[in-house]
Amino acid sequence: MTTQTNHSLLKKHILLGISGSIAAYKIPELIRLLRKKGAAVRVIITNTAKKFITPLTLQTISGNTVISNLIDNSSSDEINHISLAKWADIIILAPATADLIARLAAGIANDFITTVCLASTSPVAVAPTMNNQMYHATVTQDNLKKLKNRKYIIWGPTYGIQACNSIGLGRMIEPLIMVDLINNYFNSKKDFKNIKILITAGPTRENIDPIRFISNYSSGYMGFAIAKEAIKRGAEVTLITGPVYLKTPFGANRINITNCMDMHKQVHKIINKQNIFIGCAAVSDYRSKTIYKHKIKKEKNEINIFLIKNPDIISTVANLKKNRPYVVGFAAESENIKKYAYEKLKQKKLDLICANDISIPNNGFNSKNNKLYLFDKNKSIQLPYCDKNELSHYLLNEIIKRYEKN
Ligand code: C5P
């Protein structure tokens, strides 16, 4: 998350449209953060929103007159809806109520916000904010789909407790996250735009009885960091993950699985639509032949658990005859990295393999840092030892170069 003071939004014109939701009380903080980054902020507010936050507060924080009524005798020519529409580099509607979303979807222009949106060619980002039932209502979902089809950007909502005390999807994304998204919108390369990436992450758990399983120490950090970076760069990301304690990267389509067979099934459900497959998961190579229905009792001194081989998911993807994506694998090695990595690259028919030396303390497995060696059929390179978030940036630079040549 971007928290440091910098001027990455210098001279960006941000037009904020606030509609009537309790989350409007968070908008002064958003404006403060945006101005700290150098942005100029102008605010339009609906009449209902004025019941939650005063125009005077917004005017003081933004340093600009707050606009509300469509026909306002006090407003000069400089701030009519057409000039504001041209002024904005981006329009952000936050909080955006179900009502505002419905009016936008229908093309109604009965207040300042909807009129400016209709008159503008600038990108519009919408932060839906409402009770979770209202959010899930078919009509709201249809309206959001309409906006998406018209290239509106939809940010959120997030999951959690709501003002009405219900729990679910419907909270406005937090100002800090919104600033990050705005920052990414203006400052990040969009070299993965229109590219669909499927990433597997974390460990798998292979059950033995109702409470015991075979697994490993994979944290999921690497796969989640790649997902976050790929989304930032415009990719459409699906993350199929084993049990991990990590937050879903904003914008990722997350599918939770437990064991290898589940992961295999979920991967093959959607693989034919993917451009790139990145197998980051530490998949158990074996599973118990029998999953005991009841807890195994410690009656005997020795017991046998018969293991059978799991499918190698990445190999099944790399061997696809139709709609085969570009395939990137990982290898955690404790010795002979180069030799084993090349063998895996060939044996599994991968396009690229990322190998790490897990014999180095704090490297790779269950660690925040990593040092990767990349091997493809032509060459090998070493990426810098760094935090997995930064490493994802370097890794995706290498993947996109090769994917485009492919
Ligand atoms: O063979 P090994 O487990 O070292 O290979 C690692 C690579 O293979 C990783 O990309 C991992 O996600 C993938 N893999 C898989 N299915 C398995 C085992 C490994 O997709 N059953």
Side-chain angles (χ1 to χ4, degrees):
M1 192 176 293
T2 316
T3 48
Q4 73 270 37
T5 307
N6 60 39
H7 288 98
S8 52
L9 295 175
L10 193 66
K11 298 201 177 131
K12 289 287 178 258
H13 291 174
I14 297 177
L15 183 58
L16 278 179
I18 309 175
S19 59
S21 152
I22 180 63
Y25 85 90
K26 295 187 177 175
I27 299 304
E29 176 63 0
L30 174 66
I31 299 173
R32 192 185 67 77
L33 293 167
L34 291 172
R35 291 195 71 195
K36 210 166 142 191
K37 286 189 175 294
V41 181
R42 282 187 175 276
V43 181
I44 313 173
I45 187 167
T46 64
N47 283 327
T48 323
K50 282 188 213 162
K51 300 197 170 127
F52 294 97
I53 179 95
T54 73
L56 183 61
T57 309
L58 297 162
Q59 180 168 319
T60 312
I61 305 265
S62 70
N64 281 312
T65 315
V66 172
I67 306 136
S68 177
N69 297 322
L70 201 48
I71 300 162
D72 187 348
N73 293 338
S74 65
S75 62
S76 68
D77 276 344
E78 271 169 42
I79 49 170
N80 67 41
H81 57 281
I82 304 293
S83 60
L84 257 188
K86 284 189 187 145
W87 176 85
D89 291 316
I90 190 165
I91 301 173
I92 314 252
L93 307 181
T97 58
D99 171 70
L100 176 60
I101 290 167
R103 287 186 289 122
L104 287 167
I108 294 171
N110 60 349
D111 67 1
F112 216 112
I113 295 182
T114 47
T115 312
V116 168
C117 289
L118 211 54
S120 177
T121 53
S122 308
V124 182
V126 180
T129 311
M130 64 200 75
N131 159 275
N132 65 328
Q133 298 293 351
M134 291 169 76
Y135 174 68
H136 289 296
T138 313
V139 65
T140 308
Q141 291 302 316
D142 286 348
N143 288 334
L144 283 167
K145 251 183 235 147
K146 277 189 198 164
L147 296 187
K148 267 190 208 161
N149 290 340
R150 283 184 223 149
K151 303 281 173 241
Y152 277 57
I153 306 160
I154 312 293
W155 284 337
T158 60
Y159 185 91
I161 188 145
Q162 303 182 312
C164 53
N165 273 333
S166 54
I167 295 178
L169 270 177
R171 286 171 61 90
M172 186 180 81
I173 51 167
E174 292 299 325
L176 256 180
I177 304 225
M178 225 181 294
V179 173
D180 244 10
L181 293 168
I182 298 167
N183 204 13
N184 289 343
Y185 181 84
F186 285 113
N187 296 316
S188 70
K189 291 196 270 182
K190 290 281 179 254
D191 50 355
F192 280 82
K193 201 164 177 213
N194 297 327
I195 296 181
K196 291 194 171 76
I197 308 185
L198 176 56
I199 302 170
T200 64
T204 62
R205 280 183 187 171
E206 310 298 332
N207 274 79
I208 298 170
D209 72 10
I211 53 161
R212 300 181 179 100
F213 52 80
I214 301 169
S215 191
N216 57 65
Y217 287 114
S218 170
S219 61
Y221 287 142
M222 195 70 232
F224 276 60
I226 297 172
K228 190 173 167 198
E229 175 71 15
I231 291 166
K232 188 168 141 189
R233 289 162 71 160
E236 204 175 298
V237 173
T238 304
L239 187 57
I240 301 184
T241 177
V244 292
Y245 298 95
L246 297 174
K247 268 198 190 160
T248 310
F250 192 81
N253 169 28
R254 175 175 179 166
I255 301 170
N256 291 324
I257 56 86
T258 309
N259 57 44
C260 172
M261 296 308 277
D262 290 346
M263 184 176 268
H264 183 255
K265 192 169 143 200
Q266 294 297 336
V267 164
H268 282 278
K269 257 191 196 169
I270 53 170
I271 196 66
N272 62 352
K273 296 193 190 82
Q274 306 299 320
N275 304 105
I276 299 174
F277 176 80
I278 305 179
C280 248
V283 184
S284 297
D285 294 325
Y286 293 91
R287 67 180 185 279
S288 176
K289 189 175 180 190
T290 312
I291 301 175
Y292 293 88
K293 224 172 145 194
H294 298 288
K295 190 179 162 194
I296 302 169
K297 292 286 176 202
K298 51 177 177 208
E299 285 155 355
K300 298 178 189 160
N301 282 342
E302 280 182 3
I303 57 164
N304 288 318
I305 293 170
F306 195 84
L307 299 180
I308 50 172
K309 209 164 185 186
N310 266 331
D312 193 300
I313 301 170
I314 207 163
S315 295
T316 60
V317 171
N319 280 295
L320 285 173
K321 298 282 172 279
K322 248 177 99 182
N323 299 327
R324 180 191 182 277
Y326 183 81
V327 183
V328 182
F330 274 74
E333 304 295 350
S334 54
E335 56 176 349
N336 293 328
I337 298 181
K338 200 168 175 174
K339 180 172 173 278
Y340 290 145
Y342 264 124
E343 275 174 15
K344 256 177 213 171
L345 181 80
K346 272 173 104 184
Q347 191 192 52
K348 298 193 185 216
K349 299 202 177 118
L350 310 180
D351 297 303
L352 180 70
I353 191 154
C354 319
N356 54 347
D357 184 350
I358 52 167
S359 69
I360 305 173
N362 294 326
N363 193 44
F365 237 66
N366 198 19
S367 141
K368 294 231 159 142
N369 296 324
N370 206 359
K371 183 169 164 187
L372 287 180
Y373 301 85
L374 308 189
F375 303 92
D376 64 13
K377 63 178 187 312
N378 302 318
K379 60 176 180 179
S380 75
I381 59 164
Q382 187 185 330
L383 298 181
Y385 177 69
C386 56
D387 169 77
K388 285 178 179 170
N389 288 314
E390 193 182 337
L391 190 62
S392 302
H393 176 78
Y394 302 125
L395 175 59
L396 286 176
N397 287 349
E398 297 303 323
I399 292 177
I400 195 73
K401 269 193 263 174
R402 289 165 176 78
Y403 168 74
E404 278 168 351
K405 271 197 213 152
N406 195 34

